[in-house]
Amino acid sequence: MDYQNIKFEKDGAIAILTVDRPKALNALNSATFHEMDHALRSLKEDTRALIVTGGGDKSFVAGADIAEMSTISAAQAREFSALGHHVFASLENLSIPTIAAVNGFALGGGLELALGCDLIYASEKAKLGVPEVTLGVIPGFGGTQRLTRLLGRARAKEMLFTADRIDAAKAKEIGLVLEVLPADKLMEHCKAVAAKILKNGPLAVAQAKRVVEYGADQDLRAANELERQGFAVLFGSEDQREGMAAFLAKRPANFQGK
Ligand code: CAA
């Protein structure tokens, strides 16, 4: 597929997906979603981490494309919402760790995209928010639910009701982003975090992601059972043998993801 709205590159074992419509501040239209969907489905086994960012120097993603949405019917809105949900769920369900490098505006659907990633880092100039109520709508790509699960009801409601655009420092204070970096250090930082993860057992990292994600939706008993199963299953892997043998031999582990 020839991408018009995204860039999809590899840097060693790290894939970088850049939403790249700077003229519209990288707003997400249907075509962009279809390209993202294609890119996510084309990920190969040698990709072990994914970074998502925005093209140009101003915006991560400034939301769903308002021009495209402005005249659609309720039925079409449902389809558009389902498309966004599908793509962000695909992102969330990847077994590899995903990192949002929020390099500017992350508004509405843009913040929802970041929330579909495992880790969110922001540049000092990032502005984050869910301004949908200013347009007479609500977030439609999972934002109401993922924001609430991450921040708790009160903070999520405050952001949703007021439509405030918060800066990166405030976003860190409330736990929406993990760290704030100077703009020219953001990508370097995200790659360094990915590189650190890459040194670890890939099956174990994938299992950690799985039990956190699925466990978060369960009660504690069921969630702890998921952990027990995930722990046990790793003892059938070569990586577990290698990781523990390497520790005992006082040498670095050489994980094969098997
Ligand atoms: N959709 C479509 N086009 C957008 C856009 C969006 N979400 N955001 C920005 N653009 C376009 C602008 O229309 C403008 O295009 P033209 O040059 O052709 O006029 C261009 O990008 C540059 O934008 P601005 O001139 O507005 O730039 P600015 O620096 O003055 O303001 C901004 C930047 C504060 C991010 C402002 O563009 C803005 O408020 N954008 C909309 C943010 C928003 O409301 N996002 C939520 C969308 S709804 C949603 O996401 C629903 C959902 O969950 C499904």
Side-chain angles (χ1 to χ4, degrees):
M1 187 175 192
D2 196 14
Y3 298 136
Q4 309 294 325
N5 302 288
I6 66 169
K7 277 193 208 139
F8 196 49
E9 299 150 319
K10 282 290 293 292
D11 181 355
I14 305 171
I16 302 171
L17 193 162
T18 306
V19 181
D20 197 30
R21 301 180 67 215
K23 278 189 194 156
L25 301 184
N26 308 323
L28 298 168
N29 58 11
S30 308
T32 307
F33 273 129
H34 287 301
E35 292 182 13
M36 291 170 76
D37 190 34
H38 184 274
L40 294 177
R41 278 188 285 111
S42 72
L43 281 168
K44 303 268 184 327
E45 268 183 21
D46 61 352
T47 300
R48 293 196 29 221
L50 171 70
I51 298 175
V52 179
T53 194
D57 58 0
K58 200 169 160 184
S59 186
F60 175 70
V61 165
D65 191 305
I66 299 168
E68 183 173 301
M69 283 186 299
S70 60
T71 55
I72 63 177
S73 66
Q76 288 168 319
R78 194 173 166 92
E79 287 294 305
F80 189 48
S81 175
L83 177 62
H85 270 271
H86 163 72
V87 174
F88 292 176
S90 303
L91 177 64
E92 197 172 56
N93 291 336
L94 289 175
S95 59
I96 57 173
T98 55
I99 301 176
V102 175
N103 56 322
F105 292 114
L107 302 175
L111 184 54
E112 295 176 283
L113 169 60
L115 288 166
C117 295
D118 298 315
L119 311 173
I120 308 178
Y121 299 103
S123 99
E124 283 166 351
K125 61 176 194 170
K127 295 269 189 284
L128 306 95
V130 268
E132 280 87 344
V133 292
T134 68
L135 300 164
V137 296
I138 60 170
F141 305 147
T144 58
Q145 306 310 310
R146 291 196 180 94
L147 200 60
T148 302
R149 280 164 173 72
L150 184 63
L151 302 183
R153 290 185 201 192
R155 277 289 182 206
K157 285 180 191 165
E158 183 181 46
M159 289 187 71
L160 289 161
F161 296 175
T162 64
D164 279 349
R165 284 205 294 264
I166 60 172
D167 63 20
K170 177 78 178 176
K172 182 176 175 189
E173 184 194 316
I174 65 174
L176 182 53
V177 310
L178 292 168
E179 298 295 341
V180 181
L181 289 305
D184 61 346
K185 295 276 184 284
L186 175 66
M187 198 41 103
E188 201 180 300
H189 177 80
C190 292
K191 286 182 181 177
V193 173
K196 193 184 280 186
I197 296 170
L198 257 49
K199 287 191 188 142
N200 300 322
L203 298 178
V205 172
Q207 199 61 250
K209 173 166 175 169
R210 185 177 156 274
V211 299
V212 169
E213 282 297 324
Y214 285 90
D217 292 335
Q218 310 281 335
D219 65 50
L220 188 60
R221 269 170 78 91
N224 275 333
E225 176 55 23
L226 273 181
E227 186 194 78
R228 286 191 287 273
Q229 287 174 9
F231 180 77
V233 102
L234 289 167
F235 280 76
S237 73
E238 290 174 21
D239 281 0
Q240 174 268 328
R241 295 282 183 262
E242 166 61 12
M244 294 189 182
F247 174 83
L248 294 173
K250 303 189 190 302
R251 63 167 173 83
N254 179 16
F255 292 116
Q256 299 297 322
K258 290 181 186 162

